[in-house]
Amino acid sequence: MTFNGNHLLGLEGMSRDEIEYLLDSADSFREISEREIKKVPTLRGKTVVGLFFESSTRTRTSFEIAAKRLSADFVSISGSTSSVSKGETLLDTARNVAAMRPDCLVMRHPRSGAPHFLARHVGCPVVNAGDGSHEHPTQALLDLLTIRGVRGRIAGLEVAIVGDVLHSRVTRSNVHALRTMGARVRLVGPPTLLPSALAEWGDIHHDLASGVRGVDVVMMLRLQRERQGANFLPTLDEYSRYFCLTREMLELAKPNAIVLHPGPINRGVEISSEVADGQASMILEQVANGVAVRMAILYLLAGRGRASVEQRQAV
Ligand code: NCD
């Protein structure tokens, strides 16, 4: 389930040192994207295959750009255009893709645990790019990289995660990583999307004002309507009346608080345009950091890079 050097399936169970190592690695790759020629030969001759069985804009593009900036070939298969739509099982798809000898597989799937299944049946590293409502490790790593980049640390910060906590793989990965790194987590949302069973993850608030009061970071979530059955919400209007992050609500957080959102954002539903486009918003920094995080992960897995972070500063 954790980064053990062979796969990146989730952040649950990962140690502080391991997370810090991944963040430091990502930091060392950030600068490549600022160059005029954004390409290094690190993964030349390697093949990364993306298996995207669920829609994705940012994550897929980010992995592709990351692979290409490292000179790897990137091939992407999507659920709707692959033989899955002809009835092929996941195991058969996996075996066939593995027979083409990729150096790394990146998988997004609507079922929790699908990348773990894949990892057991292919002989190459697997990266979880989001499995159902379970984990989304590279998203949480880029969130932490963004927080650390702006605040200089993660330990001791208070982070409010707001919205559809129940269905959120982004939350699960973040809760594990933030708490391991010493942050305090508050979970904020309506009772149907934030059951009290999740109290072991952090302080529960069913009221947005009390949830964001005094926090350092507000992490907003999209409503996962594709994963919600009926009756989770009365109406979108009512949800946004109580849980949309507006400027007035954000003013209750610390004066220098920052706002994160994994995207795609629904303006006016979970976040107002004023906040999404405002000074506190780190949404586009998150996207930029996503490329660095994925470069680091592909380097460590596909490149089997075992060099120290210091050595890699010189890439
Ligand atoms: C998230 C995802 O797909 O889990 N988005 C992303 O990867 N950037 C969050 C979401 O879809 O709401």
Side-chain angles (χ1 to χ4, degrees):
M1 293 272 290
T2 62
F3 179 69
N4 56 16
N6 294 324
H7 307 286
L8 179 67
L9 299 176
L11 299 184
E12 185 177 4
M14 209 178 265
S15 70
R16 194 170 180 148
D17 282 351
E18 283 176 296
I19 294 173
E20 211 143 59
Y21 176 75
L22 295 180
L23 296 178
D24 291 346
S25 302
D27 246 340
S28 72
F29 280 100
R30 270 208 303 206
E31 164 273 331
I32 294 170
S33 297
E34 305 304 325
R35 295 182 191 174
E36 201 185 326
I37 310 289
K38 302 175 185 60
K39 213 176 184 69
V40 291
T42 318
L43 292 186
R44 202 177 44 178
K46 303 282 184 182
T47 308
V48 179
V49 176
L51 297 165
F52 283 82
F53 295 100
E54 202 182 71
S55 61
S56 172
T57 309
R58 261 154 302 272
T59 307
R60 182 180 182 145
T61 313
S62 183
F63 270 108
E64 179 161 356
I65 288 177
K68 289 181 170 166
R69 290 201 176 150
L70 295 171
S71 300
D73 293 313
F74 184 90
V75 180
S76 191
I77 297 167
S78 70
S80 55
T81 55
S82 71
S83 293
V84 172
S85 60
K86 300 181 189 164
E88 187 173 72
T89 65
L90 184 56
L91 182 57
D92 284 328
T93 306
R95 284 182 175 149
N96 280 273
V97 172
M100 297 181 216
R101 303 283 178 267
D103 297 286
C104 187
L105 294 176
V106 177
M107 180 189 238
R108 166 167 290 194
H109 201 280
R111 303 255 172 191
S112 300
H116 307 65
F117 174 83
L118 188 71
R120 286 197 296 277
H121 291 97
V122 295
C124 73
V126 174
V127 181
N128 179 2
D131 63 324
S133 47
H134 179 226
E135 279 229 37
H136 192 350
T138 56
Q139 178 66 45
L141 288 170
L142 74 87
D143 293 338
L144 266 69
L145 191 66
T146 305
I147 296 170
R148 198 178 75 163
V150 181
R151 282 286 167 274
R153 68 191 166 96
I154 295 166
L157 297 181
E158 188 121 24
V159 182
I161 305 180
V162 184
D164 187 356
V165 175
L166 181 63
H167 300 99
S168 172
R169 54 196 178 202
V170 174
T171 300
R172 272 176 186 71
S173 291
N174 263 293
V175 164
H176 296 308
L178 286 167
R179 291 180 47 169
T180 303
M181 298 305 287
R184 283 192 305 277
V185 175
R186 291 186 199 174
L187 302 170
V188 188
T192 46
L193 299 176
L194 177 46
S196 48
L198 298 183
E200 61 189 68
W201 286 0
D203 295 338
I204 290 202
H205 293 259
H206 294 308
D207 170 67
L208 182 60
S210 80
V212 300
R213 187 166 285 122
V215 297
D216 301 277
V217 179
V218 187
M219 184 181 290
M220 300 306 297
L221 302 170
R222 182 181 65 87
L223 287 173
Q224 305 280 298
R225 301 198 51 95
E226 68 276 29
R227 281 180 248 287
Q228 294 169 4
N231 305 329
F232 273 99
L233 290 174
T235 63
L236 267 190
D237 263 6
E238 188 166 333
Y239 177 82
S240 62
R241 195 149 5 109
Y242 292 107
F243 290 98
C244 182
L245 188 67
T246 57
R247 187 171 50 80
E248 293 73 26
M249 280 292 163
L250 182 59
E251 277 168 4
L252 300 173
K254 289 232 177 90
N256 60 352
I258 57 170
V259 176
L260 306 183
H261 192 307
I265 63 172
N266 285 306
R267 290 172 184 267
V269 178
E270 71 271 4
I271 189 164
S272 72
S273 281
E274 198 182 4
V275 172
D277 304 328
Q279 271 212 323
S281 170
M282 295 296 140
I283 296 174
L284 298 180
E285 279 78 355
Q286 288 174 272
V287 177
N289 282 331
V291 174
V293 162
R294 284 149 189 149
M295 285 173 85
I297 297 302
L298 293 178
Y299 168 73
L300 289 167
L301 295 179
R304 298 281 172 182
R306 293 288 179 272
S308 70
V309 173
E310 295 81 78
Q311 278 169 300
R312 266 180 287 111
Q313 307 277 354
V315 169

